[in-house]
Amino acid sequence: MAILDILAELVVIGVFLGAFYGLIALGLSLVFGVQNVINLAHGEFLMIGAYITFFGWSIFDLNPLLSIVISVPIMFVVGAAIQGGLLERIDLDNELTTLIFTFGLALAIRGLAQYAINVDYQSISFLTESVDVGFTAFSLNRPFAFGIAVISTLLFFAFLKYTDWGKAIRATSQNPEIARACGIRTKRVRMVTFGLGAALAGIAGGIAGILYTIFPAMGLDYLLKAFVIVVLGGLGSLVGAVVAGVGFGVIETFGTWYTSSTMASIIAFVVLILVLLVRPQGLFGRSDSGE
């Protein structure tokens, strides 16, 4: 019976973690699906969001939830400004150019953060007390973070489905030429999309600050995990990003428990390779034949 309790606890913790990972991957997958750009600065956007939440909590004594809410419009404006002022000025059809640009942007943001902010590790001490729930025990910040991730994800999908901007984003993702012919201003759609991707990363950054430590170079690890999740779920598939994020979280949790955190990452990459051998387009991606 003890083994079943342990397994149940690992599944619960894995789902909590996976919802967080899915939220990170959602913004990365959104930008790629609409403009075919792999945003290598996505991890740095997460880092900025984490610091916004941290400074709101530590300096202005704001509830971390309120700090996360405040980070959403800030990160949206940052993302939209980068898209409209910088990214739109390069050849978006050249994947190598966009990779180099976003890589340089990531290095610049990280360098500025290391220069302007104390490089010591910081953390948000919030809901750290433990609670027993039936067969498992965990810190209260985990279900809190899970709730934020789930609500943010649901609101995002509702935005895509029910709002005019959401419909424009979906139309541009499916066929930008036809979308333009129908009167949709695809340049503005790209700005909104990049802003939304940055906002989602900002929310995820706030969650990361509550669960883990904050430092200027924190974004790289989350970017790598998000990229694995996006590829695993299918490039451009938003549902795939969420589902693969949950799966990744469960795999990492079990791997960490039975081996180590390093081995857990290796196991996750092995699972990615095995899935791609069977389905090169990912779990929810479309094949080249359009099936």
Side-chain angles (χ1 to χ4, degrees), residues 17-28:
L17 182 61
F20 164 57
Y21 284 159
L23 182 64
I24 302 173
L26 196 58
L28 190 65

Side-chain angles (χ1 to χ4, degrees), residues 231-249:
V231 174
L232 185 61
L235 287 171
S237 172
L238 301 180
V239 174
V242 174
V243 174
V246 174
F248 189 93

Side-chain angles (χ1 to χ4, degrees), residues 7-273:
L7 291 177
E9 181 176 354
L10 292 177
V11 169
V12 171
I13 294 175
V15 171
F16 283 175
L17 182 61
F20 164 57
Y21 284 159
L23 182 64
I24 302 173
L26 196 58
L28 190 65
S29 184
L30 172 68
V31 172
F32 179 84
V34 173
Q35 28 191 123
N36 202 33
V37 171
I38 299 175
N39 180 20
L40 297 181
H42 192 69
E44 274 55 48
F45 291 163
L46 182 146
M47 178 266 293
I48 296 174
Y51 273 110
I52 292 174
T53 302
F54 172 75
F55 288 132
W57 170 78
S58 62
I59 297 177
F60 300 102
D61 198 27
L62 296 177
N63 185 290
L65 177 59
L66 180 57
S67 295
I68 291 175
V69 172
I70 292 174
S71 74
V72 172
I74 295 175
M75 292 307 303
F76 178 85
V77 171
V78 169
I82 290 174
Q83 172 67 37
L86 298 175
L87 200 53
E88 282 290 340
R89 298 178 182 274
I90 66 175
D91 184 6
L92 294 176
D93 294 326
N94 190 321
E95 294 181 1
L96 180 60
T97 301
T98 57
L99 280 173
I100 293 174
F101 173 83
T102 57
F103 178 68
L105 179 64
L107 293 179
I109 294 174
R110 190 185 310 167
L112 287 173
Q114 290 173 337
Y115 176 78
I117 303 173
N118 192 322
V119 295
D120 290 342
Y121 290 83
Q122 308 284 359
S123 62
I124 299 173
S125 180
F126 181 70
L127 296 178
T128 56
E129 58 270 23
S130 180
V131 61
D132 294 325
V133 180
F135 52 80
T136 185
F138 42 75
S139 299
L140 283 175
N141 55 14
R142 288 187 178 273
F144 177 79
F146 174 76
I148 295 175
V150 171
I151 292 172
S152 300
T153 301
L154 291 176
L155 288 175
F156 171 75
F157 277 107
F159 170 83
L160 284 185
K161 184 174 182 180
Y162 297 111
T163 68
D164 291 339
W165 274 109
K167 295 173 184 177
I169 289 172
R170 287 187 284 129
T172 303
S173 174
Q174 293 171 4
N175 196 312
E177 288 77 17
I178 293 180
R180 275 197 299 271
C182 293
I184 296 175
R185 298 182 178 181
T186 54
K187 181 178 179 179
R188 290 188 178 182
V189 169
R190 289 194 296 269
M191 289 178 60
V192 171
T193 299
F194 208 81
L196 285 174
L200 290 171
I203 298 172
I207 295 174
I210 294 172
L211 296 178
Y212 307 109
T213 53
I214 305 171
F215 55 101
M218 64 183 289
L220 179 59
D221 183 52
Y222 292 111
L223 173 66
L224 292 175
K225 291 180 179 180
F227 185 74
V228 170
I229 292 168
V230 168
V231 174
L232 185 61
L235 287 171
S237 172
L238 301 180
V239 174
V242 174
V243 174
V246 174
F248 189 93
V250 172
I251 292 171
E252 185 175 274
T253 302
F254 273 85
T256 302
W257 174 265
Y258 287 105
T259 56
S260 66
S261 58
T262 301
M263 281 301 300
S265 298
I266 295 175
I267 292 171
F269 278 97
V270 170
V271 171
L272 169 67
I273 293 172

